[in-house]
Every structure is written in structure tokens, then in C-alpha cells.
Amino acid sequence: MTRAGASGEAVIPAQAGTQNQRIALLGAESTGKTTLAADLADHLRGRGLDAVAVPEVLREWCTRTGRLPRPDEQLAIAEEQEARVDAAATQADLVIADTSALMVAIYAGMLFEEGALYRFALARQRRYDATLVTGLDIAWTPDGLHREAASREQVDALVRDHLQRAGLPYQVVYGHGPQRLHSALQALTACGILAEARDLREETRKAGAAGWVWLCDKCSDPACEHRLFRQLKGESGQ
């Protein structure tokens, strides 16, 4: 049943029986995961849902130590990420993870082989009720973790490849600011985390005069959007 939130607007309801739902935000560096996690949690709380965002442990670790983790330190970071998600799930109905253990495994796999970490990450990823992958349409800015812009397409391709090979479904979200938020809300509605609400459709319409198409039939093909952005960059440099 739809009810009024603190703002007096209609609540976007969660589907019946969907308490303690876990949403993972995955994607390459500087694709807006942290901002989207906070925006989603704030938006859903404002609509009367009990939602919380769990920050990225790897970022905290690198900021605290001033370096990238060694091979023997990676698994503990991944375990801490998932432990925080578990703890949040005991307190909130919707948990939005600003990356999961799978991102730790993917970054680690670019530097060295780590079978135990990857097995742990895949097992944990299967526990998420929805996985959103942030698209490459946001301009790269340094994230403080000693990563390079050139690696974004590689990481993006790895994220999708690992999810596809493991048979884990995901949705890709695009857009800037409110468009990206509405893209994520539509994705969560499509995969059954949120029930469709009339005010969500209206907000999506207002996000852009021409509307926002959040998903195309090529979104799971990284080569498709990579060609697009290379073309756009080439045109802007002419």
C-alpha cells in the first residue's frame, strides 16, 4: 500500500517480502558509485523506506595507509566490506553497497592471481538481490587510489565479464546527477526491488524534457559503449 513520506509525497514501495534487500554498485573508478550510493539511500529514506549506504572499504584502507594493499591484505579488505554489508542488513531493509568484495577481487586480479579471494567474492556476490553497474559516461577524475583513466575501460569490461561468466544478472545505469539516480530507480523497479509508483514515473519524465532511456539492448556489450565514447572523444578533439 502506498503511504506518505516525510515530505508528504507518495512513498516508492518495496515489493512485499523484500526486507533486508542488498544492492551492489559495481563499476570502474570515477563512474559515480559513491555519489549514487548516497543519493539512492537519501532518496529512498525521503520516501519512507529504511535504506542505508555502506561505503567502500578499499577506499578507506588506501586513504588511511597511503598505498595499495599487498596480495596478503586483499582478502581481509573484501571480508570487511561484506561484514559491513551484513551488519547494515540487520538494521535496514535496503542496503546499498558502494562496491562489493567482487570489485576488490577484480582490482587484485589485475595485479596478481588470487583464487581464494575470487571464490569468496563470487560467493558473496550471489547474495545480492540486485547489481547495478555504473556506466562510463561520467568524465574521469582522480579518485585518490592511484588508478589511471586508461584503466577504466579495462575494469568496466572485467566487471561485466565476471558477472556474465558467473551467470549473475546486472543492470547498467547512465546519466548525470538526477538522471543517474532515476536510471538506478528504474533499474531497481525493473528487477523487482521496488514496486512501480506513479510519482517515480513522473519524476523520471521531469529529469529530462526528452525523457531518459536507462537501458538499451546493447548495454551489456562493453564494446558498444566503448566505441561510442571513443567516437565522442574523437569528435570533441577535432
Side-chain angles (χ1 to χ4, degrees):
M1 179 175 67
T2 301
R3 55 192 173 84
S7 64
E9 298 176 338
V11 167
I12 300 176
Q15 295 282 43
T18 58
Q19 289 187 339
N20 306 122
Q21 296 272 26
R22 302 169 190 226
I23 302 162
L25 302 186
L26 307 182
E29 59 275 14
S30 191
T31 55
K33 296 185 296 296
T34 300
T35 298
L36 180 59
D39 287 349
L40 268 173
D42 288 345
H43 183 88
L44 294 174
R45 283 195 299 267
R47 294 307 180 83
L49 295 179
D50 185 8
V52 63
V54 177
E56 181 183 11
V57 173
L58 177 60
R59 177 184 298 275
E60 293 179 6
W61 194 98
C62 292
T63 300
R64 184 177 68 253
T65 63
R67 62 177 177 85
L68 295 175
R70 298 189 303 267
D72 61 303
E73 297 169 323
Q74 299 275 359
L75 180 57
I77 293 171
E79 290 174 336
E80 176 62 21
Q81 181 72 57
E82 298 302 325
R84 293 188 188 186
V85 171
D86 287 344
T90 67
Q91 303 294 324
D93 291 335
L94 289 171
V95 178
I96 304 156
D98 176 10
T99 79
S100 68
L102 186 58
M103 286 307 308
V104 180
I106 288 173
Y107 282 123
M110 296 174 68
L111 303 174
F112 52 84
E113 293 296 329
E114 179 49 79
L117 171 57
Y118 185 65
R119 289 191 296 272
F120 170 77
L122 274 187
R124 289 294 310 197
Q125 194 64 34
R126 297 185 191 282
R127 299 185 62 180
Y128 285 89
D129 300 285
T131 298
L132 304 183
V133 175
T134 48
L136 299 175
D137 54 331
I138 292 180
W140 180 84
T141 56
D143 65 359
L145 299 185
H146 311 290
R147 302 165 183 166
E148 298 179 356
S151 69
R152 287 213 311 172
E153 289 191 3
Q154 179 186 3
V155 173
D156 180 81
L158 285 171
V159 169
R160 300 179 192 220
D161 180 63
H162 284 300
L163 291 172
Q164 289 169 357
R165 287 195 290 113
L168 294 168
Y170 65 92
Q171 304 285 359
V172 184
V173 296
Y174 299 101
H176 295 258
Q179 288 182 331
R180 208 172 192 81
L181 173 61
H182 291 298
S183 177
L185 291 171
Q186 286 185 306
L188 294 177
T189 300
C191 67
I193 299 297
L194 300 177
E196 189 172 14
R198 182 170 53 193
D199 61 308
L200 173 57
R201 295 196 300 271
E202 177 65 14
E203 288 177 3
T204 301
R205 184 188 66 79
K206 290 179 179 179
W212 176 248
V213 179
W214 66 277
L215 185 64
C216 75
D217 60 357
K218 296 292 186 182
C219 74
S220 62
D221 176 9
C224 172
E225 70 183 75
H226 294 168
R227 284 195 302 270
L228 170 63
F229 291 122
R230 280 197 294 270
Q231 291 169 358
L232 290 175
K233 287 188 288 186
E235 291 172 0
S236 64
Q238 292 176 356

